Amino acid sequence: MNPSLTGGLAPPQALTLKKAAKRPKPASQAIPKTKSAKVPKRRVNRFNGMTEEEVALRGLPDYLREGLDIVFIGINPSLAAAYSGKYYDGPGNHFWQALFLSGLIDKPMGPHDDYKLMDMGIGFTNVCPRTTRGVADLSKAEIAAGAVVLKEKLLKYRPKIAVFNGKSIYQVYSESKKFMFGRQPEPLDHEGSTWIWVMPSSSARCAQLPRAVDKVPFFSALIKFRDFLHGKTAEPDEAEIVFANVVLKNAPRRPKVKVEQEEPPAEDSI
């Protein structure tokens, strides 16, 4: 371009803009990278300062004698039951509620009354005497040995009805998965002195029967069969004492939550 036409000014030159370089942060402003802090484990004091190992050294007595109408059978003592020394003392267990709602006992009772039921013709025992956190802690050999001892007890004391309180309990005892709830087809012995009865677990974890009233029909049917064996009533129809249409599936296992025992002080127990 002619400079005379632009008043003697040189044409503007193209400008190139560059981004300013980042300045390093002063050492005092630098944020160090750290690993996320671990969530502290939940601490629970369930047993008045006792550890689970100490509670596991406890157990439950057998409440057995000749002439009982019914003996309720569990798999083995839970930590809660072993700590208190009482049957079906776990949180949320529906056993005592269902016992009363069905009419098997005439007034509300609880775990602290377990020994009193012998005067009402009801006893208690377990397949295995050892206390554990769960059934998975029992070995197959231990369960097999317990089943032999249990049969010897039942043959000795001869209750009219031996009640397995839970599907899984009868499965480990009988080594069979094919059976129905209620009265089993054959008695324990050839004389027919003791009949086997299977009912759903009274535990609140029984998801398909979540309330105490859901379990009452199995206790009510037990009364009908007991009264028949005593000669008080006519033989009930099989549909009244065998629950052919009830099929319960085992609930899927939930992931375990790690729980640490609270050490002293003892007054913080729940």
Side-chain angles (χ1 to χ4, degrees):
M1 182 178 292
N2 191 337
S4 61
L5 299 177
T6 59
L9 296 175
Q13 297 181 0
L15 297 177
T16 303
L17 300 178
K18 294 183 179 180
K19 293 182 178 180
K22 292 182 178 180
R23 291 181 298 176
K25 292 182 178 180
S28 60
Q29 297 181 7
I31 301 175
K33 293 183 179 180
T34 58
K35 295 182 179 180
S36 58
K38 293 183 178 180
V39 178
K41 294 178 181 178
R42 192 156 44 105
R43 298 173 68 83
V44 177
N45 179 17
R46 296 173 59 196
F47 306 120
N48 199 27
M50 294 180 66
T51 65
E52 288 189 359
E53 290 74 17
E54 291 171 327
V55 175
L57 297 176
R58 298 184 175 188
L60 288 173
D62 282 339
Y63 290 124
L64 297 171
R65 70 184 180 200
E66 293 183 2
L68 293 175
D69 294 331
I70 298 168
V71 169
F72 285 100
I73 302 165
I75 182 65
N76 74 312
S78 67
L79 289 170
Y83 174 69
S84 68
K86 304 298 180 182
Y87 278 88
Y88 301 108
D89 197 20
N93 198 296
H94 296 141
F95 176 82
W96 294 98
Q97 286 178 274
L99 209 64
F100 171 65
L101 292 174
S102 67
L104 202 50
I105 56 176
D106 59 5
K107 60 183 178 180
M109 302 179 81
H112 56 284
D113 298 308
D114 55 4
Y115 68 96
K116 297 178 183 177
L117 266 64
M118 292 189 71
D119 294 332
M120 303 177 189
I122 298 173
F124 298 97
T125 189
N126 286 298
V127 176
C128 297
R130 186 169 71 90
T131 299
T132 63
R133 175 180 276 190
V135 179
D137 297 315
L138 297 172
S139 68
K140 290 183 178 180
E142 194 172 7
I143 293 171
V148 172
V149 174
L150 172 64
K151 187 173 182 179
E152 291 173 352
K153 292 177 183 178
L154 295 175
L155 291 174
K156 176 181 179 180
Y157 294 106
R158 301 165 68 121
K160 287 182 169 55
I161 313 171
V163 181
F164 287 83
N165 185 6
K167 172 183 175 182
S168 61
I169 298 173
Y170 188 65
Q171 283 178 342
V172 298
Y173 170 80
S174 64
E175 298 183 343
S176 173
K177 294 184 178 181
K178 294 182 178 181
F179 57 85
M180 290 181 250
F181 288 108
R183 188 213 62 195
Q184 299 307 296
E186 300 294 333
L188 180 67
D189 55 0
H190 297 295
E191 299 175 7
S193 57
T194 299
W195 287 86
I196 302 295
W197 186 280
V198 182
M199 63 170 52
S201 171
S202 60
S203 169
R205 295 179 182 178
C206 186
Q208 291 151 293
L209 300 172
R211 304 170 302 169
V213 293
D214 298 324
K215 302 176 175 80
V216 168
F218 301 93
F219 286 80
S220 299
L222 184 59
I223 296 174
K224 290 182 181 180
F225 190 54
R226 178 203 62 184
D227 290 347
F228 160 68
L229 295 178
H230 271 293
K232 295 180 179 180
T233 61
E235 183 174 2
D237 186 80
E238 184 166 324
E240 296 180 89
I241 55 175
V242 177
F243 296 82
N245 297 323
V246 177
V247 179
L248 301 181
K249 295 181 179 179
N250 293 327
R253 291 184 178 180
R254 293 181 294 179
K256 293 182 179 179
V257 178
K258 291 184 179 180
V259 176
E260 287 188 354
Q261 288 298 99
E262 184 77 48
E263 297 302 334
E267 60 268 21
D268 291 336
S269 63
I270 297 174

